[in-house]
Amino acid sequence: MSLPKLFIERISHMLNDESDAFFATYEKPRYHGLRINPLKITPERLAQIAPFQLKPVPFCHTGFYYKLEDEPGKHPYHQAGLYYIQEPSAMAVADCLDAKPGERILDLCAAPGGKTTQIAGSMKNQGFLMANEINAKRAKALSENIERCGITNALVTNEKPERLANRFAGYFDKILVDAPCSGEGMFRKDPEAIEYWSLDHVKHCASMQKEILDHAYHMLKPGGILVYSTCTFSAEENEQSIDHFLDHYPDLELLPIQKKGGMTDGNPDWSISHRKDLIKTARLWPHHVQGEGHFIAKCKKAHTSTQSENNSQTFTQTAKKCDLKDFYSFEKESLTTSVPGTLFFMKNHLFSIPKDFPDFSGLRIVRTGLHIGEQKKQRFEPNHALALGLDPSNFKQKLNLSSTDKEWASYLRGETLPSNLNKGWTIVTIDNYPIGWGKVANGTLKNFYPKGLRRH
Ligand SMILES: C[S@@+](CC[C@H](N)C(=O)[O-])C[C@H]1O[C@@H](n2cnc3c(N)ncnc32)[C@H](O)[C@@H]1O
């Protein structure tokens, strides 16, 4: 692999006698990982049913290494949201945030959703998770991953951090800033990142990170936790970004990060001020961990911060009973449960959100809570998100496909399937895990797998 000369010089200067070990990693194949989705399955159960070998990632209790040739991304369990394919070192970040059910959490730079989906797994669909992405195309990918993973308490926004900061001052218990960076840790995974790399790019990213952190600070409530991460090695974007942040906001303190499975301390000498507490930050170097590389810092805003907590904005809209007639018929015929949460319409689409969701009017919204379905003329049609967002036991009629029988591939291509089940909405499952809707009539299951997700 041909690396930029200046990058080699800079790393050699930082790592001294460790640099040979670092550069030797570029001659080896990279590691591949998946993280199980606790909203749908346990690690033990996936290990039992998956036709691929899994080896635990030491710094993430839901993470596993897999072999490239096993291609779990092509297995229908991926479509069922049982796991998320993720670069292993990236799995260390969200656990540092220690998300809990019921909290208000912001993932400010969220697409494509590796860390959002991990945070959501810890929140158990309770509380409020805002997943923001500035780039519209990437926000769509984020939204699809949130749907596939069965996350029902998220608001996906496509906003600039400053717009959110004006609106949500002092609002969040926890914030993740997984910042845009020069991606030096991506060189093996994405060789295009090498072409992009320059010292100017490193400096540009560092200045962007300072700005994003500034907006994030304002959205954190007193006593709140902020985790900052990058997938790059440069001191400017890591120790120096955090040094500047702490210097600017004296009511922030660094919290220690447990260094597991080869994670090492951040280096105060790589900062401008050389402040000693930067040792609490974490580095994941590819010659120390089986992964590509990350930096993580965890900060806490003092309870005594002058900024006040903001609880003001709650979403108050609810659907009128008379407008829910067709939905209730669908619910009674097709589900064994009532859809939880507050129901409301946006145009003719019905959604459910957990209580205490904030008012999101005026924001650029990509997904809201659980998209239940659409009110059509005199009938209700369920959305794909409902198939992925409920427990398998919540559906009355099921057409189960086996992962060892290629009929599932026909379903994912959008083809009809023969079925002698009762007329009506039917959940299609793979080894009993929902993957989408079908509707049975006259011995055939009409396919409702979304056109945009079909595989040909
Ligand atoms: C490292 S990636 C996020 C990866 C994501 N957290 C995950 O785990 O899948 C950084 C993201 O920040 C976004 N971004 C770029 N410029 C930004 C800005 N000025 N403010 C906020 N986000 C920005 C990028 O579009 C990109 O999706």
PDB file of all heavy atoms in Angstrom, residues 215-238:
ATOM      1  N   HIS A 215     -21.076  23.346  19.280  1.00  0.00           N
ATOM      2  CA  HIS A 215     -22.543  23.223  19.214  1.00  0.00           C
ATOM      3  C   HIS A 215     -23.032  22.101  20.133  1.00  0.00           C
ATOM      4  O   HIS A 215     -24.054  22.230  20.796  1.00  0.00           O
ATOM      5  CB  HIS A 215     -22.991  22.959  17.778  1.00  0.00           C
ATOM      6  CG  HIS A 215     -22.680  24.092  16.851  1.00  0.00           C
ATOM      7  ND1 HIS A 215     -23.078  25.377  17.104  1.00  0.00           N
ATOM      8  CD2 HIS A 215     -21.995  24.132  15.678  1.00  0.00           C
ATOM      9  CE1 HIS A 215     -22.654  26.176  16.131  1.00  0.00           C
ATOM     10  NE2 HIS A 215     -21.990  25.439  15.254  1.00  0.00           N
ATOM     11  N   ALA A 216     -22.264  21.015  20.169  1.00  0.00           N
ATOM     12  CA  ALA A 216     -22.666  19.879  21.009  1.00  0.00           C
ATOM     13  C   ALA A 216     -22.681  20.285  22.483  1.00  0.00           C
ATOM     14  O   ALA A 216     -23.606  19.951  23.233  1.00  0.00           O
ATOM     15  CB  ALA A 216     -21.716  18.705  20.784  1.00  0.00           C
ATOM     16  N   TYR A 217     -21.663  21.057  22.884  1.00  0.00           N
ATOM     17  CA  TYR A 217     -21.567  21.509  24.282  1.00  0.00           C
ATOM     18  C   TYR A 217     -22.872  22.202  24.703  1.00  0.00           C
ATOM     19  O   TYR A 217     -23.396  21.966  25.787  1.00  0.00           O
ATOM     20  CB  TYR A 217     -20.375  22.458  24.455  1.00  0.00           C
ATOM     21  CG  TYR A 217     -20.367  23.138  25.793  1.00  0.00           C
ATOM     22  CD1 TYR A 217     -19.771  22.528  26.886  1.00  0.00           C
ATOM     23  CD2 TYR A 217     -21.009  24.371  25.975  1.00  0.00           C
ATOM     24  CE1 TYR A 217     -19.798  23.134  28.135  1.00  0.00           C
ATOM     25  CE2 TYR A 217     -21.043  24.977  27.217  1.00  0.00           C
ATOM     26  CZ  TYR A 217     -20.445  24.357  28.294  1.00  0.00           C
ATOM     27  OH  TYR A 217     -20.491  24.937  29.520  1.00  0.00           O
ATOM     28  N   HIS A 218     -23.374  23.067  23.834  1.00  0.00           N
ATOM     29  CA  HIS A 218     -24.565  23.848  24.185  1.00  0.00           C
ATOM     30  C   HIS A 218     -25.813  22.977  24.337  1.00  0.00           C
ATOM     31  O   HIS A 218     -26.761  23.353  25.017  1.00  0.00           O
ATOM     32  CB  HIS A 218     -24.786  24.960  23.159  1.00  0.00           C
ATOM     33  CG  HIS A 218     -23.745  26.025  23.303  1.00  0.00           C
ATOM     34  ND1 HIS A 218     -23.732  26.915  24.348  1.00  0.00           N
ATOM     35  CD2 HIS A 218     -22.640  26.289  22.562  1.00  0.00           C
ATOM     36  CE1 HIS A 218     -22.682  27.696  24.243  1.00  0.00           C
ATOM     37  NE2 HIS A 218     -22.003  27.330  23.169  1.00  0.00           N
ATOM     38  N   MET A 219     -25.811  21.812  23.701  1.00  0.00           N
ATOM     39  CA  MET A 219     -26.994  20.931  23.782  1.00  0.00           C
ATOM     40  C   MET A 219     -26.937  19.976  24.972  1.00  0.00           C
ATOM     41  O   MET A 219     -27.889  19.243  25.235  1.00  0.00           O
ATOM     42  CB  MET A 219     -27.142  20.149  22.477  1.00  0.00           C
ATOM     43  CG  MET A 219     -27.572  21.040  21.323  1.00  0.00           C
ATOM     44  SD  MET A 219     -27.963  20.099  19.855  1.00  0.00           S
ATOM     45  CE  MET A 219     -26.384  20.101  19.026  1.00  0.00           C
ATOM     46  N   LEU A 220     -25.797  19.951  25.665  1.00  0.00           N
ATOM     47  CA  LEU A 220     -25.624  19.025  26.795  1.00  0.00           C
ATOM     48  C   LEU A 220     -26.173  19.652  28.071  1.00  0.00           C
ATOM     49  O   LEU A 220     -25.902  20.813  28.356  1.00  0.00           O
ATOM     50  CB  LEU A 220     -24.119  18.767  26.956  1.00  0.00           C
ATOM     51  CG  LEU A 220     -23.686  17.563  27.783  1.00  0.00           C
ATOM     52  CD1 LEU A 220     -24.209  16.263  27.175  1.00  0.00           C
ATOM     53  CD2 LEU A 220     -22.149  17.520  27.851  1.00  0.00           C
ATOM     54  N   LYS A 221     -26.955  18.883  28.815  1.00  0.00           N
ATOM     55  CA  LYS A 221     -27.485  19.476  30.045  1.00  0.00           C
ATOM     56  C   LYS A 221     -26.443  19.404  31.171  1.00  0.00           C
ATOM     57  O   LYS A 221     -25.479  18.625  31.070  1.00  0.00           O
ATOM     58  CB  LYS A 221     -28.794  18.796  30.436  1.00  0.00           C
ATOM     59  CG  LYS A 221     -28.697  17.424  31.018  1.00  0.00           C
ATOM     60  CD  LYS A 221     -30.117  16.960  31.282  1.00  0.00           C
ATOM     61  CE  LYS A 221     -30.159  15.741  32.136  1.00  0.00           C
ATOM     62  NZ  LYS A 221     -31.489  15.139  32.158  1.00  0.00           N
ATOM     63  N   PRO A 222     -26.590  20.177  32.235  1.00  0.00           N
ATOM     64  CA  PRO A 222     -25.642  20.089  33.349  1.00  0.00           C
ATOM     65  C   PRO A 222     -25.591  18.644  33.858  1.00  0.00           C
ATOM     66  O   PRO A 222     -26.634  17.999  34.005  1.00  0.00           O
ATOM     67  CB  PRO A 222     -26.253  21.027  34.400  1.00  0.00           C
ATOM     68  CG  PRO A 222     -27.110  21.968  33.625  1.00  0.00           C
ATOM     69  CD  PRO A 222     -27.639  21.198  32.464  1.00  0.00           C
ATOM     70  N   GLY A 223     -24.407  18.160  34.093  1.00  0.00           N
ATOM     71  CA  GLY A 223     -24.234  16.762  34.527  1.00  0.00           C
ATOM     72  C   GLY A 223     -24.214  15.780  33.356  1.00  0.00           C
ATOM     73  O   GLY A 223     -24.028  14.580  33.553  1.00  0.00           O
ATOM     74  N   GLY A 224     -24.406  16.285  32.128  1.00  0.00           N
ATOM     75  CA  GLY A 224     -24.475  15.405  30.951  1.00  0.00           C
ATOM     76  C   GLY A 224     -23.107  14.907  30.499  1.00  0.00           C
ATOM     77  O   GLY A 224     -22.069  15.474  30.854  1.00  0.00           O
ATOM     78  N   ILE A 225     -23.131  13.837  29.699  1.00  0.00           N
ATOM     79  CA  ILE A 225     -21.894  13.187  29.230  1.00  0.00           C
ATOM     80  C   ILE A 225     -21.767  13.375  27.717  1.00  0.00           C
ATOM     81  O   ILE A 225     -22.741  13.183  26.983  1.00  0.00           O
ATOM     82  CB  ILE A 225     -21.961  11.655  29.497  1.00  0.00           C
ATOM     83  CG1 ILE A 225     -22.170  11.353  30.982  1.00  0.00           C
ATOM     84  CG2 ILE A 225     -20.749  10.920  28.934  1.00  0.00           C
ATOM     85  CD1 ILE A 225     -20.952  11.538  31.835  1.00  0.00           C
ATOM     86  N   LEU A 226     -20.569  13.714  27.281  1.00  0.00           N
ATOM     87  CA  LEU A 226     -20.301  13.842  25.845  1.00  0.00           C
ATOM     88  C   LEU A 226     -19.131  12.927  25.484  1.00  0.00           C
ATOM     89  O   LEU A 226     -18.083  12.969  26.133  1.00  0.00           O
ATOM     90  CB  LEU A 226     -19.967  15.296  25.502  1.00  0.00           C
ATOM     91  CG  LEU A 226     -19.735  15.607  24.025  1.00  0.00           C
ATOM     92  CD1 LEU A 226     -20.205  17.028  23.696  1.00  0.00           C
ATOM     93  CD2 LEU A 226     -18.272  15.454  23.601  1.00  0.00           C
ATOM     94  N   VAL A 227     -19.340  12.093  24.477  1.00  0.00           N
ATOM     95  CA  VAL A 227     -18.252  11.250  23.974  1.00  0.00           C
ATOM     96  C   VAL A 227     -17.870  11.763  22.587  1.00  0.00           C
ATOM     97  O   VAL A 227     -18.737  12.044  21.752  1.00  0.00           O
ATOM     98  CB  VAL A 227     -18.659   9.762  23.930  1.00  0.00           C
ATOM     99  CG1 VAL A 227     -17.645   8.934  23.141  1.00  0.00           C
ATOM    100  CG2 VAL A 227     -18.775   9.205  25.350  1.00  0.00           C
ATOM    101  N   TYR A 228     -16.554  11.929  22.394  1.00  0.00           N
ATOM    102  CA  TYR A 228     -16.013  12.404  21.121  1.00  0.00           C
ATOM    103  C   TYR A 228     -15.167  11.281  20.535  1.00  0.00           C
ATOM    104  O   TYR A 228     -14.404  10.633  21.262  1.00  0.00           O
ATOM    105  CB  TYR A 228     -15.152  13.643  21.378  1.00  0.00           C
ATOM    106  CG  TYR A 228     -14.352  14.108  20.177  1.00  0.00           C
ATOM    107  CD1 TYR A 228     -14.939  14.905  19.200  1.00  0.00           C
ATOM    108  CD2 TYR A 228     -13.000  13.767  20.022  1.00  0.00           C
ATOM    109  CE1 TYR A 228     -14.209  15.350  18.103  1.00  0.00           C
ATOM    110  CE2 TYR A 228     -12.270  14.212  18.927  1.00  0.00           C
ATOM    111  CZ  TYR A 228     -12.882  14.999  17.970  1.00  0.00           C
ATOM    112  OH  TYR A 228     -12.160  15.429  16.887  1.00  0.00           O
ATOM    113  N   SER A 229     -15.294  11.044  19.228  1.00  0.00           N
ATOM    114  CA  SER A 229     -14.446  10.011  18.625  1.00  0.00           C
ATOM    115  C   SER A 229     -14.087  10.383  17.197  1.00  0.00           C
ATOM    116  O   SER A 229     -14.786  11.172  16.547  1.00  0.00           O
ATOM    117  CB  SER A 229     -15.164   8.655  18.640  1.00  0.00           C
ATOM    118  OG  SER A 229     -16.378   8.730  17.949  1.00  0.00           O
ATOM    119  N   THR A 230     -12.970   9.811  16.730  1.00  0.00           N
ATOM    120  CA  THR A 230     -12.584   9.925  15.320  1.00  0.00           C
ATOM    121  C   THR A 230     -11.995   8.577  14.892  1.00  0.00           C
ATOM    122  O   THR A 230     -11.623   7.757  15.738  1.00  0.00           O
ATOM    123  CB  THR A 230     -11.483  10.985  15.084  1.00  0.00           C
ATOM    124  OG1 THR A 230     -10.257  10.480  15.622  1.00  0.00           O
ATOM    125  CG2 THR A 230     -11.824  12.332  15.689  1.00  0.00           C
ATOM    126  N   CYS A 231     -11.884   8.415  13.578  1.00  0.00           N
ATOM    127  CA  CYS A 231     -11.190   7.215  13.076  1.00  0.00           C
ATOM    128  C   CYS A 231      -9.893   7.666  12.403  1.00  0.00           C
ATOM    129  O   CYS A 231      -9.560   7.228  11.312  1.00  0.00           O
ATOM    130  CB  CYS A 231     -12.082   6.417  12.137  1.00  0.00           C
ATOM    131  SG  CYS A 231     -12.614   7.318  10.681  1.00  0.00           S
ATOM    132  N   THR A 232      -9.205   8.585  13.076  1.00  0.00           N
ATOM    133  CA  THR A 232      -7.943   9.073  12.526  1.00  0.00           C
ATOM    134  C   THR A 232      -6.879   9.099  13.617  1.00  0.00           C
ATOM    135  O   THR A 232      -7.202   8.987  14.805  1.00  0.00           O
ATOM    136  CB  THR A 232      -8.159  10.461  11.886  1.00  0.00           C
ATOM    137  OG1 THR A 232      -7.188  10.647  10.872  1.00  0.00           O
ATOM    138  CG2 THR A 232      -8.110  11.605  12.894  1.00  0.00           C
ATOM    139  N   PHE A 233      -5.599   9.241  13.210  1.00  0.00           N
ATOM    140  CA  PHE A 233      -4.512   9.180  14.188  1.00  0.00           C
ATOM    141  C   PHE A 233      -3.913  10.540  14.506  1.00  0.00           C
ATOM    142  O   PHE A 233      -3.196  10.681  15.493  1.00  0.00           O
ATOM    143  CB  PHE A 233      -3.391   8.257  13.658  1.00  0.00           C
ATOM    144  CG  PHE A 233      -3.882   6.879  13.288  1.00  0.00           C
ATOM    145  CD1 PHE A 233      -3.758   6.400  11.986  1.00  0.00           C
ATOM    146  CD2 PHE A 233      -4.487   6.065  14.232  1.00  0.00           C
ATOM    147  CE1 PHE A 233      -4.220   5.135  11.639  1.00  0.00           C
ATOM    148  CE2 PHE A 233      -4.957   4.796  13.902  1.00  0.00           C
ATOM    149  CZ  PHE A 233      -4.825   4.339  12.596  1.00  0.00           C
ATOM    150  N   SER A 234      -4.174  11.548  13.681  1.00  0.00           N
ATOM    151  CA  SER A 234      -3.467  12.824  13.840  1.00  0.00           C
ATOM    152  C   SER A 234      -3.740  13.437  15.210  1.00  0.00           C
ATOM    153  O   SER A 234      -4.887  13.430  15.686  1.00  0.00           O
ATOM    154  CB  SER A 234      -3.881  13.803  12.733  1.00  0.00           C
ATOM    155  OG  SER A 234      -5.147  14.341  13.008  1.00  0.00           O
ATOM    156  N   ALA A 235      -2.710  14.005  15.812  1.00  0.00           N
ATOM    157  CA  ALA A 235      -2.848  14.646  17.125  1.00  0.00           C
ATOM    158  C   ALA A 235      -3.779  15.856  17.035  1.00  0.00           C
ATOM    159  O   ALA A 235      -4.551  16.129  17.954  1.00  0.00           O
ATOM    160  CB  ALA A 235      -1.470  15.075  17.616  1.00  0.00           C
ATOM    161  N   GLU A 236      -3.730  16.575  15.888  1.00  0.00           N
ATOM    162  CA  GLU A 236      -4.557  17.780  15.732  1.00  0.00           C
ATOM    163  C   GLU A 236      -6.044  17.479  15.907  1.00  0.00           C
ATOM    164  O   GLU A 236      -6.791  18.299  16.442  1.00  0.00           O
ATOM    165  CB  GLU A 236      -4.373  18.384  14.323  1.00  0.00           C
ATOM    166  CG  GLU A 236      -3.026  18.996  14.045  1.00  0.00           C
ATOM    167  CD  GLU A 236      -2.026  17.985  13.492  1.00  0.00           C
ATOM    168  OE1 GLU A 236      -2.172  16.784  13.743  1.00  0.00           O
ATOM    169  OE2 GLU A 236      -1.066  18.423  12.819  1.00  0.00           O
ATOM    170  N   GLU A 237      -6.468  16.289  15.435  1.00  0.00           N
ATOM    171  CA  GLU A 237      -7.902  15.962  15.451  1.00  0.00           C
ATOM    172  C   GLU A 237      -8.308  15.183  16.711  1.00  0.00           C
ATOM    173  O   GLU A 237      -9.488  14.897  16.888  1.00  0.00           O
ATOM    174  CB  GLU A 237      -8.253  15.134  14.210  1.00  0.00           C
ATOM    175  CG  GLU A 237      -8.001  15.876  12.913  1.00  0.00           C
ATOM    176  CD  GLU A 237      -8.211  14.988  11.713  1.00  0.00           C
ATOM    177  OE1 GLU A 237      -9.368  14.708  11.389  1.00  0.00           O
ATOM    178  OE2 GLU A 237      -7.208  14.535  11.113  1.00  0.00           O
ATOM    179  N   ASN A 238      -7.340  14.847  17.523  1.00  0.00           N
ATOM    180  CA  ASN A 238      -7.636  14.014  18.688  1.00  0.00           C
ATOM    181  C   ASN A 238      -7.275  14.741  19.988  1.00  0.00           C
ATOM    182  O   ASN A 238      -8.065  15.541  20.466  1.00  0.00           O
ATOM    183  CB  ASN A 238      -6.944  12.657  18.540  1.00  0.00           C
ATOM    184  CG  ASN A 238      -7.507  11.892  17.333  1.00  0.00           C
ATOM    185  OD1 ASN A 238      -8.723  11.922  17.115  1.00  0.00           O
ATOM    186  ND2 ASN A 238      -6.667  11.243  16.574  1.00  0.00           N
TER     187      ASN A 238
END
